[in-house]
Amino acid sequence: MNKMKFSFIVTIALVLTMTFPSCKKEWKPGMPLAKEKLKIGVIHITDPFSESSGYSCAHQMGIEEMKKNLELQDSQFLYKIHVDDTDHLHIESAIRDLIARGTNVIFATSWGYMDACEKLAGEFPAVVFAHASGFKRNEANYTNYFGRIYQARYLSGIAAGTQTKSNKIGFVAAWGTENSEVTGGLNAFALGVEKVNPQAGIYVKVTHSWFDPLGEAAAARSLIAAGCDIIAQHCDTPIPQIEAEKAGVLGIGYNTDMSAVAPSSVLASVLWNWGAYYTTLVQSVINGTFTTAPYFGSLKDGIVDISPLNENISWNPEMILLLLDERRRIESGSFDVFSGIMETNDGGRIGRAGGNLSDDEIRNGMNWYYRTIIKY
């Protein structure tokens, strides 16, 4: 090869190197990612590190389980706490800061984070966004996750229905019929109560906030004053159970096992085991099998459950057998909580003979109360 030809080849190579500095592809969701390159951000509505129970605590327990299962380091996690899910500027700022600090997976754990995730997922395609409880997603890097919590709610209703003496059961709800998540759980609870006690009514008090300790306390006290001898809840803190304990009535906890804060009153708690999802999602990011298909888990998957019944309470053995049998039927798929035709509390009719409500109807169309529910 003569010198002129060699010089020409070298010049072309340098030009190509300058024009195309690297053939390496930038990582994007759906491609494998080395475990040590993971950086996971988690956004909480309260401070789970100072709590022993409640919504954020349940999510953080799931994060810790995932961390242990996948042998990740503490340094691979960043947290944003006390992010009010009604403060859109704060939410967006928190997410942007996580991304600026290198996160490539973000778990946004509260309903109100949904719109900010939608916006920023489009802006940052190399970040996985996973949002709890909402319904928005895209086809590239934004997914949502939740579970059939209504299945565990139904079982807890069976437990509550056998224990009420006044036939008045209170329910502290974060939102009314405008929110399918809360309403679906409440309706399932009412169906479980009715299964064993058709005379019982469910009195619901709405706080209009996921996290409102003062409002939750006031709602619980109001329901107890109205004669409710069991207090159930769908809100973030254990305050309703603490109020039940102070008043000497019974309760059904939520999110975590609330017998830790109200050992005398809590009959059982409806549980979230978020670690089942978090482990699967992060493993899919590592493997390169991540997709944005929504996750809607079940009792069978283990993401939702009911805690053991309070051993200090006297239980009807027939009720325990019924509860176990109903659980088996749900897990086997032979029984669906929302099946057949159901009557609403305003005289309407929902459902169809011989059929079940679809997942979409349960997640997005539960804008009615079952016939035994009284808004108080």
Side-chain angles (χ1 to χ4, degrees):
M1 181 181 295
N2 60 46
K3 290 182 178 179
M4 183 177 293
K5 186 174 181 180
F6 178 76
S7 177
F8 175 76
I9 292 172
V10 170
T11 300
I12 293 297
L14 287 171
V15 170
L16 289 172
T17 301
M18 292 171 65
T19 307
F20 306 102
S22 174
C23 292
K24 185 179 179 181
K25 292 183 179 179
E26 180 183 359
W27 182 82
K28 63 179 181 180
M31 297 170 60
L33 182 67
K35 185 166 72 172
E36 61 272 15
K37 292 186 176 181
L38 276 170
K39 195 81 168 183
I40 298 170
V42 187
I43 309 174
H44 290 299
I45 196 168
T46 60
D47 177 5
F49 305 102
S50 65
E51 300 168 347
S52 60
S53 60
Y55 181 78
S56 295
C57 181
H59 277 285
Q60 188 57 36
M61 288 167 64
I63 294 294
E64 296 297 333
E65 181 183 329
M66 173 264 288
K67 184 192 302 183
K68 180 179 179 182
N69 290 343
L70 300 180
E71 299 181 329
L72 300 177
Q73 304 301 311
D74 289 345
S75 60
Q76 292 179 266
F77 292 82
L78 296 171
Y79 300 97
K80 292 291 184 179
I81 63 173
H82 292 304
V83 180
D84 183 347
D85 79 344
T86 65
D87 186 341
H88 300 295
L89 289 177
H90 188 189
I91 299 164
E92 184 171 332
S93 174
I95 295 174
R96 287 186 182 280
D97 185 62
L98 289 173
I99 294 170
R101 295 166 66 188
T103 57
N104 40 35
V105 177
I106 291 177
F107 292 112
T109 64
S110 190
W111 171 272
Y113 302 154
M114 179 166 54
D115 290 344
C117 286
E118 180 183 39
K119 174 184 176 180
L120 296 178
E123 188 174 337
F124 297 98
V127 177
V128 169
F129 289 80
H131 175 249
S133 77
F135 56 86
K136 292 186 176 181
R137 57 181 285 270
N138 65 26
E139 295 297 330
N141 65 326
Y142 179 28
T143 187
N144 61 70
Y145 59 101
F146 203 58
R148 294 171 172 83
I149 195 66
Y150 65 88
Q151 295 177 337
R153 290 271 188 211
Y154 171 79
L155 297 179
S156 73
I158 292 174
T162 62
Q163 291 294 337
T164 178
K165 301 296 190 296
S166 67
N167 283 335
K168 289 185 175 182
I169 298 175
F171 197 103
V172 180
W175 302 100
T177 53
E178 73 276 11
N179 186 280
S180 290
E181 174 191 333
V182 178
T183 307
L186 173 53
N187 286 337
F189 179 73
L191 284 162
V193 170
E194 186 183 56
K195 178 77 175 179
V196 294
N197 187 349
Q199 285 74 46
I202 314 301
Y203 292 74
V204 59
K205 192 81 171 173
V206 179
T207 65
H208 302 287
S209 172
W210 294 112
F211 176 73
D212 181 5
L214 293 177
E216 293 165 24
R221 288 195 294 265
S222 176
L223 291 166
I224 293 167
C228 296
D229 59 358
I230 297 178
I231 301 297
Q233 65 177 86
H234 189 131
C235 51
D236 283 1
T237 83
I239 296 294
Q241 302 312 304
I242 294 172
E243 291 295 329
E245 179 107 341
K246 288 194 294 188
V249 301
L250 301 174
I252 298 288
Y254 180 47
N255 291 305
T256 55
D257 186 349
M258 290 187 171
S259 64
V261 295
S264 299
S265 67
V266 171
L267 296 168
S269 295
V270 175
L271 305 177
W272 282 107
N273 297 320
W274 294 108
Y277 173 76
Y278 288 142
T279 300
T280 300
L281 187 283
V282 175
Q283 186 66 64
S284 78
V285 173
I286 296 169
N287 295 344
T289 57
F290 168 79
T291 75
T292 62
Y295 175 82
F296 196 39
S298 64
L299 272 172
K300 186 177 181 180
D301 299 335
I303 193 169
V304 301
D305 208 341
I306 181 173
S307 70
L309 301 176
N310 190 328
E311 294 181 351
N312 297 317
I313 301 291
S314 177
W315 295 97
N316 183 329
E318 292 183 1
M319 186 285 299
I320 294 176
L321 292 175
L322 173 64
L323 191 148
L324 293 173
D325 187 56
E326 293 294 272
R327 182 189 184 106
R328 281 192 292 267
R329 292 207 299 148
I330 292 171
E331 290 181 343
S332 70
S334 64
F335 169 67
D336 192 284
V337 173
F338 297 115
S339 62
I341 298 174
M342 293 160 283
E343 186 178 335
T344 67
N345 69 353
D346 60 2
R349 292 165 71 81
I350 300 291
R352 46 202 165 271
N356 305 319
L357 295 188
S358 68
D359 285 346
D360 184 62
E361 287 172 307
I362 295 168
R363 294 193 70 177
N364 303 312
M366 196 71 73
N367 59 357
W368 50 273
Y369 281 149
Y370 188 62
R371 62 186 177 189
T372 58
I373 296 173
I374 300 101
K375 188 170 182 181
Y376 181 69

